Amino acid sequence: MTAETAHRPHPARRVIEHLVPVAPDSRRWGLMLVLALIGPGSVPFALLVFGTQNQLLRTNYSIGAPMLIAVATGAAVVLARYRPVVAWLLAMGVFAAVAWLGDVSGWEPWPLTVPTLFALLVSLFALGRDRPAWVGVLAWSGYTAAGTWVVWAVNSDRIVLSYNRFTNDNPAVENLTLGALLGAFALLVGVTVRIWQQGRARVAEEERVAEEERQRRRLLEERTRIARELHDIVAHHMSVIAVQSSTAEYRLAGLGEDVKEEFRSISDQARESLAEMRRLLGVLRSEDEAGARAPQPGPEALHGLAESVNRAGTPVDLAIGELPPDLPETVALTVFRVVQEALSNVVRHAPGAHVDASAVASDGTVVVTVVNGPPPAPAPPGQESSGLGLVGMGERVALDGGALETGPTPEGGFRVRAALPIRSTAEESV
């Protein structure tokens, strides 16, 4: 199973997500999921609104063929998720149709039926959440203007109803006022959700940028550390060149003057290169490392490393094969650093797991392998890894022209394998 198929949602879940705009974590029945069931795009709620509207218009509002109006009411709820402006236009169309075609005796809510009111609220909420605030305000103002005209039309007999005007007030007044207040509230909630979502998006973006910057800084620190260690190795060879070239005219008899001048030139260039490298080291080395001048470790230091990890409670079986005596210093250092970083990862993320570590030479290649089994107990919290230790391994191995393989084992552990070619300085310079 690949990572892509592991994170692919189940087909049934994809169907549900098209029917109901579920919350980010739909496994919990929280407030967001409950709101999603009656919010923009909810097909079950749209079907409920459609059925209720169709029955009410037929029985209470004297509309003989209300199917088209009921379909428009349900469609407004669904379209609010994708096209909130179109959804609002549908809701207003339903409002106008009921106002012109419906008739009431005085007690039914008119011209906003209960399903129409819900469709209008859902569309206003979607406008506030998904569109600029001025669009939502304009839509609410349009509804208010239309409602004001309906109230005037009823009072001036432009719209004739069956209610008793001597015993009942204009039914549109309270109905449309309630719709205006609830609509303003729905619009305000939508705008609030929009601001909240934008704030979360900004925070997530800032966290992503900050994490990328932290990883970039740690990677640069690792590269700087590698550069400092390589400086010590290269400086040693340059010092040998400088000493041998400067003493050659005294150690070797019968040298001509032109040969002595050539050795002096080599000595001067070597010393100048050493001075430049020391200045570079002053830039790379931090203040607390200014006095670090100890020799770089190699495979001979792995026994002491394994003993220290054993004392920490993580058993290590170390096997070091026959390594060439003239192993290049950069390769020797990489062997030690790969084992060191691999053991550090085991101590952090699988404390107590048994570790098999080995370093052997075969066919001109040093192969370093560190394999740990599953941990006897879960790792303590707060031990999440950024993966930069593995990145540092890769940087070192690539510097020596080698290959690094890392990954989990079928038994639940982890395996690190580095293959480092043994090349002489002359071969590297070709």
Side-chain angles (χ1 to χ4, degrees), residues 162-237:
S162 299
Y163 81 102
N164 188 340
R165 68 179 62 240
F166 299 103
T167 58
N168 298 312
D169 294 329
N170 187 336
V173 176
E174 293 183 357
N175 178 261
L176 296 175
T177 301
L178 178 63
L181 294 176
L182 293 179
F185 178 75
L187 180 61
L188 179 62
V189 172
V191 173
T192 303
V193 171
R194 176 185 179 87
I195 295 173
W196 174 69
Q197 290 177 339
Q198 290 176 342
R200 287 190 61 185
R202 282 195 297 269
V203 170
E205 178 65 18
E206 292 174 357
E207 290 179 349
R208 183 187 65 81
V209 172
E211 181 60 25
E212 289 180 354
E213 184 62 29
R214 282 194 295 269
Q215 292 186 1
R216 189 179 301 110
R217 185 175 64 250
R218 291 170 184 170
L219 180 57
L220 290 176
E221 290 174 353
E222 180 65 20
R223 288 180 176 175
T224 302
R225 179 186 176 191
I226 296 173
R228 289 196 302 265
E229 294 174 347
L230 287 178
H231 165 273
D232 296 337
I233 296 173
V234 175
H236 167 72
H237 294 295

Side-chain angles (χ1 to χ4, degrees), residues 12 25 85 101 104 111 122 137 150 178 191 197 220 227 243 256 258 272 275 288 305 334 338 380:
D25 186 4
V85 175
L101 302 177
V104 292
V122 168
V137 173
V150 169
L178 178 63
V191 173
Q197 290 177 339
L220 290 176
V243 171
D258 54 343
E272 184 178 348
D288 56 345
L305 178 64
T334 302
V338 168

Side-chain angles (χ1 to χ4, degrees), residues 8 10 95 166 221 233 256 307 343 349 362 391-392 396-397:
R8 185 179 300 168
H10 193 273
F95 166 79
F166 299 103
E221 290 174 353
I233 296 173
E307 290 178 2
L343 293 179
H349 308 296
S362 175
V391 172
R396 292 181 180 276
V397 173

Side-chain angles (χ1 to χ4, degrees), residues 93-326:
V94 172
F95 166 79
V98 175
W100 280 107
L101 302 177
D103 189 17
V104 292
S105 60
W107 63 269
E108 296 90 349
W110 180 92
L112 277 181
T113 65
V114 174
T116 306
L117 176 62
F118 276 112
L120 181 65
L121 295 180
V122 168
S123 62
L124 287 174
F125 169 81
L127 285 172
R129 184 191 64 181
D130 302 331
R131 294 294 183 269
W134 66 268
V135 177
V137 173
L138 186 63
W140 181 84
S141 301
Y143 158 77
T144 304
T148 303
W149 184 88
V150 169
V151 172
W152 171 81
V154 172
N155 290 335
S156 60
D157 292 331
R158 302 267 181 170
I159 298 178
V160 179
L161 300 175
S162 299
Y163 81 102
N164 188 340
R165 68 179 62 240
F166 299 103
T167 58
N168 298 312
D169 294 329
N170 187 336
V173 176
E174 293 183 357
N175 178 261
L176 296 175
T177 301
L178 178 63
L181 294 176
L182 293 179
F185 178 75
L187 180 61
L188 179 62
V189 172
V191 173
T192 303
V193 171
R194 176 185 179 87
I195 295 173
W196 174 69
Q197 290 177 339
Q198 290 176 342
R200 287 190 61 185
R202 282 195 297 269
V203 170
E205 178 65 18
E206 292 174 357
E207 290 179 349
R208 183 187 65 81
V209 172
E211 181 60 25
E212 289 180 354
E213 184 62 29
R214 282 194 295 269
Q215 292 186 1
R216 189 179 301 110
R217 185 175 64 250
R218 291 170 184 170
L219 180 57
L220 290 176
E221 290 174 353
E222 180 65 20
R223 288 180 176 175
T224 302
R225 179 186 176 191
I226 296 173
R228 289 196 302 265
E229 294 174 347
L230 287 178
H231 165 273
D232 296 337
I233 296 173
V234 175
H236 167 72
H237 294 295
M238 292 296 295
S239 299
V240 173
I241 293 173
V243 171
Q244 288 181 340
S245 59
S246 61
T247 61
E249 60 180 298
Y250 304 106
R251 293 181 294 102
L252 303 176
L255 295 178
E257 190 60 33
D258 54 343
V259 178
K260 293 180 180 179
E261 186 63 30
E262 187 70 22
F263 275 119
R264 295 190 192 104
S265 176
I266 295 174
S267 176
D268 292 340
Q269 291 181 23
R271 295 179 188 278
E272 184 178 348
S273 299
L274 278 173
E276 292 293 339
M277 292 185 64
R278 290 192 184 97
R279 281 193 288 269
L280 175 61
L281 183 63
V283 176
L284 296 177
R285 199 182 297 275
S286 58
E287 293 181 0
D288 56 345
E289 296 174 330
R293 296 292 187 272
Q296 298 299 337
E300 69 281 352
L302 290 178
H303 291 287
L305 178 64
E307 290 178 2
S308 64
V309 175
N310 272 316
R311 288 194 297 269
T314 299
V316 179
D317 287 340
L318 177 64
I320 300 179
E322 192 72 25
L323 298 178
D326 57 346

